Each structure stands twice: as structure tokens, then as C-alpha cells.
Amino acid sequence: MKTVYSDLHGLQDAEAEFIRGKRVPSFEGPRRAELVLARVKEAFGLESVLERREFGLQPLLEVHDERMVSFLSDFWPRWSEENGAVDAFPNAWPPPRAHRRQTQRIGAELGRFCVDMSSPLMEGTWRAVSAGADVALTAQALVSAGDRAAFALCRPPGHHAGRDYFGGYCFLNNAAIAAQSFIDQGASRVAVLDVDYHHGNGTQDIFYDRGDVLCVSIHADPTKEYPYYLGYADETGEGPGADANCNLPLPWGSDYATYGEALVAGVSRIKQFGAEAVVISLGVDTFESDPISRFKLRSDDFLYLGKTIAKLNLPTVFVMEGGYAVEAIGLNVVNVLSGFENA
């Protein structure tokens, strides 16, 4: 399996985030991707790693609001002129029933699009995240051209980025961009299978009223875990997207016996949908030692996860999402890919 990678991801290197009232070192950093890359090269060979192609803005605008994309791309000069070269966090958000009107202060604009305090913007953010989108699009192009599967080693992750908002370490939704590209190239039905510990709220938001993209997400109970306000089982889509959204929330402490049942159910739902291709939001923060998660999957379980995904027998793009137990992240990701390859 080919892996697509760009070292520009390192330009997004947050020093800290704010969580539960504390300023703490960011859990999401460049070392995550570097360790995965090293393990991929060890498992599949140096020649399996490809550099990204550049695709421009249009694929991003197919899934994201133009105002948010413009905000991200133009943000830093305005922010640094007013505030200096410091990482940018919002300190105000539109309350319920408020208008999300454009304002004249860059800090207020930040709160209009950013939903939390884990995702600071900095000088290199736009270059990093736009390169990540290109990584996903390059992997999708490989699969569209005939490869059975490809791995987009994206960083930062993307599945919490919605149509017109970002957060949860995510700025552009790489998985949604890849899925939309299959549609743009003629596929009538595509599925996104999100196996990250956290619900793919951004992906759900983007496709919720569409019937051509099925979103299946297996994740921790949102009454207890981020993103809290989406990810419930009764969210099944609306309008043309009715029955094209499937959430499978699981309790804290779930091991692979529980997780595997949900995965089989998700795979079955994708088969029933009649998808012509599948994009996997590949988070490995379901691992038992992940510092911000509470599932109990072991490294060997990720082999079975990959084997189960392979049963779909569909063109498959794996897109990197979460995973914060960095010493094990490379092994766990490669186990998914190897399980898929060897099925």
C-alpha cells in the first residue's frame, strides 16, 4: 500500500492547549506523524512513501464554506499585526440565537469559526492544513486510478472540522474532501467509516443532508466525551440524507469484543448502502494506553480492525486522524494497514 506524506505538517506545532481549566502541552504534535512514517517505511519500504500533489482550493470549497477557508488562509497576517506572533486562541463565541455576523476584529472572527481551545492558529497553520488536504487528495487519486487502497498520512487530523467551523485539532476535513472527490469523479455512493475514539462531528455536519455519502462513526458516548453535542444514535440524517448517517456510540472501557461488534455492524451498513468506495477516518486513539481516551483496544486488535474493513472489498482511502499514545502510534496504524493488506 502506498502512503502519501508531506513534511509541511510540522508547521502546525502548537505549544499548548487548554483543557479543563488548565494550560497543558498539546497532545497533537508533529511527532505523531513522524513516528507513523518511520513505522510505515519499516513495514512497507521507503519506495512506498510518495509526496503529495497540489490540487488548489476548489476541492476544499466543495465541502467547506468559502468564508471559513478564506479566514484560515488569510488569518495570520491580520492576527500578528494586531497581537504579535503568539498562537491564536478564541476568547469569545457566538451564544445561542446570536448572529454569526462578520466583525471587524480578528479575535472575534476567530471565535466565529473555532469551537474550542485545543486548536490554536499560528503562522504555519494554513500551509500545514492545505498540504494535509493535498495528501488526502493524492491518496484518493491513487485509488481512483486503480490502486486497491492508499494511506493519507495527514496531520493535523480533520474529522472535527465541519462545513463552517473547526476545532478538536482539526482545521480542514481531509476525509470529507477525499470522499467528495470520489463523488466529483462519478461515484454515485461513497461511505466514510470513522473508527476514531471521538465522533466525526465535522464529517457528519458536512454530509448530514445528503444521500450520496453515508457516514458511519464508532466512538465514545458523547454524553461523556468530545465533541459532546453530536454523535448520538438518533442522528440519522435529514432531508435527502435521511438514513445516511449512522452513529454507534460505545461506553467507556469498551474493549475489542464490544468494539468489534460495532465495527461489523458498521461494515454491514456500508454494504447495504451500496457504496462504491470507502474513506476510513483512521484514528487509533481507541488504544488502551491513549492519554485522552478510555477504550481498551490492544495493538493486536488493530490487525483485526484492518481485516474487517477489508471485507468491504471496496476501493479504500485511509486518512489519518487521532492517536496520542505516541510511542505505540506507528505500530497501531501499521497493524490496521497490514491487517487490511493481508486479509
Side-chain angles (χ1 to χ4, degrees):
M1 185 186 304
K2 298 185 182 76
T3 292
V4 185
Y5 175 81
S6 171
D7 60 9
L8 289 177
H9 75 86
L11 295 174
Q12 177 67 19
D13 188 5
E15 177 183 347
E17 62 180 283
F18 292 86
I19 183 168
R20 299 180 183 91
K22 297 179 181 179
R23 185 180 188 272
V24 301
S26 180
F27 288 100
E28 202 291 302
R31 190 160 177 255
R32 297 176 59 247
E34 293 161 1
L35 289 170
V36 173
L37 179 66
R39 194 74 183 212
V40 163
K41 289 178 177 178
E42 181 181 324
F44 301 114
L46 294 174
E47 68 282 357
S48 69
V49 179
L50 307 178
E51 183 57 58
R52 84 195 198 286
R53 291 165 45 195
E54 296 185 25
F55 290 81
L57 287 178
Q58 189 55 44
L60 282 56
L61 299 175
E62 294 294 325
V63 301
H64 289 298
D65 187 284
E66 183 176 5
R67 291 167 296 182
M68 188 187 84
V69 173
S70 177
F71 170 80
L72 286 170
S73 63
D74 297 339
F75 172 83
W76 186 255
R78 295 175 59 197
W79 172 267
S80 58
E81 180 180 2
E82 183 174 315
N83 301 286
V86 295
D87 291 359
F89 292 91
N91 62 3
W93 289 269
R97 295 171 299 284
H99 298 289
R100 291 179 66 192
R101 291 174 175 168
Q102 185 173 357
T103 67
Q104 296 184 24
R105 294 295 298 276
I106 190 62
E109 290 298 277
L110 180 56
R112 195 157 68 100
F113 295 106
C114 183
V115 300
D116 63 24
M117 296 187 71
S118 67
S119 313
L121 295 180
M122 57 194 64
E123 184 173 9
T125 299
W126 175 248
R127 291 183 66 198
V129 302
S130 58
D134 284 335
V135 166
L137 288 163
T138 303
Q140 187 276 335
L142 290 169
V143 173
S144 183
D147 283 20
R148 177 192 180 206
F151 173 39
L153 180 41
C154 298
R155 195 204 142 258
H159 71 150
H160 295 309
R163 304 180 205 193
D164 58 356
Y165 65 81
F166 62 89
Y169 311 136
C170 303
F171 302 89
L172 296 173
N173 195 312
N174 305 306
I177 291 167
Q180 181 63 42
S181 289
F182 280 117
I183 296 291
D184 291 341
Q185 293 163 18
S188 59
R189 291 194 164 199
V190 175
V192 179
L193 174 59
D194 193 322
V195 298
D196 190 278
Y197 175 79
H198 303 93
H199 175 244
N201 60 301
T203 313
Q204 173 175 309
D205 175 66
I206 288 167
F207 295 119
Y208 199 66
D209 59 358
R210 289 175 48 175
D212 55 349
V213 179
L214 170 69
C215 295
V216 177
S217 182
I218 308 166
H219 52 269
D221 178 1
T223 65
K224 294 184 176 181
E225 285 291 359
Y226 189 95
Y228 301 112
Y229 310 114
L230 286 175
Y232 296 85
D234 61 358
E235 298 161 4
T236 58
E238 64 184 15
D243 298 322
N245 195 80
C246 177
N247 288 327
L248 299 166
L250 301 176
W252 278 356
S254 293
D255 60 10
Y256 193 75
T258 300
Y259 190 94
E261 289 182 4
L263 180 62
V264 169
V267 165
S268 176
R269 182 70 184 85
I270 292 170
K271 289 180 178 178
Q272 293 169 5
F273 180 71
E276 298 164 39
V278 63
V279 177
I280 310 298
S281 274
L282 179 55
V284 293
D285 44 359
T286 51
F287 182 54
E288 61 183 348
S289 298
D290 196 277
I292 61 174
S293 306
R294 301 202 187 194
F295 282 177
K296 299 297 181 183
L297 273 64
R298 300 177 177 178
S299 290
D300 286 349
D301 293 330
F302 291 103
L303 290 164
Y304 296 108
L305 194 156
K307 289 178 181 179
T308 303
I309 292 170
K311 292 178 181 179
L312 285 167
N313 196 28
L314 290 174
T316 304
V317 177
F318 291 91
V319 177
M320 189 71 211
E321 302 285 1
Y324 309 100
V326 291
E327 299 305 328
I329 189 173
L331 171 62
N332 293 338
V333 169
V334 166
N335 275 0
V336 175
L337 304 180
S338 297
F340 179 93
E341 288 270 87
N342 297 329

